[in-house]
Amino acid sequence: MQNIIKIAVVGLGYVGLPLARLFSTKFETIGYDLNQSRVDMLMSGHDATLEVDDALLQEAIHQHGFRCTTDLEQIRECNFYVVAVPTPVDENNRPDLRPLWGASETVGKVISKGDVVVYESTVYPGVTEEECLPVVEKVSGLKFNVDFFAGYSPERINPGDKLHTVEKIKKVTSGSTPEIADLVDDVYNAVLVNGTHKAPSIKVAEASKIIENSQRDVNIAFMNELAKIFNAMGIDTHDAIEAASSKWNFIKLSPGLVGGHCISVDPYYLIQKAQVYGVLPRVMFAARRLNDGMGEYVAQQTIKQMNKKGVLVKDANILILGITFKENCPDIRNTKVVDIYSTLHEYTSNISVYDPWANPLMVKREYGIELSSQDVEQMKGRFDAVILAVAHRQFLDVNVRDFLKDPEHGVVYDVKGVLDRSYIDGRL
């Protein structure tokens, strides 16, 4: 195996770019992506996802020689390939492996004898060895574990999180042979502050990632179910959680919308694979159904509050604050706020969505929703109901009731449970 590691990161999204930038501090690193406009923006020193600060990106480019490209030939001389492409589901919630297959073809076109390919994309156990590496073999003409080798190190990027950044995350690593497992572990350890956990096999490493996100999905589903029960009983769910969390071993979570590209997607990969082995994952199925229905539930709860206050729902003016899948982050992937919008749209077309973090063009292209271009002052005194869907910091500095036409009879619904209870009419 080569003594000098030269890294190519395939896929420069929320996962690939931060990792590539970090690798560039210790190794010669090239980022590869199919999107030319994305590459051009990165090479200008700006990351539109806001995952890498411009100063850090520019330092990587100018001081560490990091570069991004759409030219496959520029990564041919690399010997350590890292694949970090999306693993979505289709309209029937079945795993869509096309991005992984495409990335594996890309690697297969440039990989050489002795090289290593490491996958970071979240998958069910077995995908790396059963789905990806055969593609690399076919395209390259090389034999796995004879001519080239592989590893798996599941991504743990948390979009928008400036505390648990990639260099501080403890990473799981693995390799296709004991020697390659050591190599992969050494490469990641060279750039990580908190080190690694070396798994005994690629499949174990794959399974560990699915466990992480499926566990959170199930736990949040339980909280969402409690919210439905307690709302029906007239009990404030957050008060009940605060009381319960006084016990030392209580796991404190909150109810909410479960969107994004991880928790709301990854469990479907294990659900499908489990059924292949004759196991019906009932708990995971139920959690997914419950969490996927929370957007509609929020809309119905808002309508209920409007009816209580005598606010006519038909053709009402409603403001939704936030459309990204989480606070203080521009990521709109698989956001469940659109389910709130769609349910309310059955009653009124007068719905405004305001989000200072989201890209209006991307929202329009992905969901067909026009974001409001008005500022906070222009929106005051215009709406019959306001839903705080995302807890962006900008929304915490205003009195949301100021957006209502009639502050006394209008409705404010707090999805996130972060607003002063004295001026909200309902919350999860």
Side-chain angles (χ1 to χ4, degrees), residues 310-348:
V311 179
L312 187 64
V313 178
K314 187 177 185 304
D315 297 326
N317 289 304
I318 299 176
L319 172 64
I320 298 176
L321 293 174
I323 197 168
T324 60
F325 93 88
K326 66 183 295 187
E327 64 273 7
N328 306 322
C329 171
D331 194 346
I332 63 169
R333 292 176 298 175
N334 201 32
T335 173
K336 297 306 178 183
V337 180
V338 297
D339 295 339
I340 301 175
Y341 180 94
S342 299
T343 302
L344 292 173
H345 204 266
E346 297 176 16
Y347 300 87
T348 176

Side-chain angles (χ1 to χ4, degrees), residues 7-32 38 42 47 49 51-53 56-57 60 64 66-68 80-85 118-121 152-158 165-173 184 187-192 196:
I7 297 175
V9 176
V10 178
L12 296 175
Y14 282 86
V15 172
L17 178 66
L19 185 66
R21 196 285 308 173
L22 182 61
F23 274 140
S24 75
T25 62
K26 293 293 179 68
F27 306 99
E28 182 178 352
T29 305
I30 303 172
Y32 176 83
R38 170 71 170 161
L42 292 177
D47 171 27
T49 70
E51 287 302 301
V52 176
D53 289 340
L56 279 178
L57 180 57
H64 302 303
F66 174 59
R67 67 184 189 274
C68 306
F80 194 95
Y81 295 90
V82 179
V83 175
V85 296
V118 177
Y119 289 84
E120 288 233 353
S121 306
Y152 183 81
S153 179
E155 61 91 1
R156 281 177 167 170
I157 293 292
N158 185 22
T165 50
V166 61
E167 62 269 24
K168 298 176 184 176
I169 295 171
K170 186 170 185 176
K171 291 270 286 172
V172 173
T173 64
V184 172
V187 170
Y188 278 89
N189 261 310
V191 295
L192 296 174
T196 62

Side-chain angles (χ1 to χ4, degrees), residues 236-256:
D236 187 283
T237 308
H238 293 269
D239 285 346
I241 291 171
E242 282 297 323
S245 64
S246 64
K247 188 168 188 279
W248 65 90
N249 60 352
F250 180 78
I251 300 172
K252 186 178 180 182
L253 292 171
S254 299

Side-chain angles (χ1 to χ4, degrees), residues 182-311:
D182 289 341
L183 173 65
V184 172
D185 199 59
D186 288 344
V187 170
Y188 278 89
N189 261 310
V191 295
L192 296 174
V193 173
N194 292 315
T196 62
H197 174 92
K198 186 166 61 174
S201 70
I202 287 175
K203 284 185 179 180
V204 168
E206 291 169 324
S208 73
K209 177 59 178 178
I210 287 290
I211 290 174
E212 292 173 26
N213 289 340
S214 297
Q215 181 187 63
R216 283 185 58 78
D217 195 39
V218 170
N219 285 344
I220 295 171
F222 176 58
M223 293 300 170
N224 281 334
E225 189 163 59
L226 290 178
K228 289 185 173 184
I229 294 169
F230 292 151
N231 283 341
M233 298 172 68
I235 297 172
D236 187 283
T237 308
H238 293 269
D239 285 346
I241 291 171
E242 282 297 323
S245 64
S246 64
K247 188 168 188 279
W248 65 90
N249 60 352
F250 180 78
I251 300 172
K252 186 178 180 182
L253 292 171
S254 299
L257 304 177
V258 183
H261 196 65
C262 291
I263 299 176
S264 64
V265 174
D266 297 345
Y268 286 119
Y269 276 71
L270 188 54
I271 285 170
Q272 168 150 322
K273 194 63 174 178
Q275 292 176 92
V276 172
Y277 284 86
V279 179
L280 181 62
R282 291 181 175 86
V283 173
M284 292 174 62
F285 258 133
R288 280 284 72 239
R289 284 198 299 269
L290 200 153
N291 285 339
D292 276 347
M294 289 307 291
E296 181 181 358
Y297 176 77
V298 166
Q300 295 296 346
Q301 288 296 106
T302 303
I303 292 170
K304 179 180 178 180
Q305 295 298 329
M306 292 172 73
N307 287 333
K308 280 185 175 182
K309 284 200 163 187
V311 179

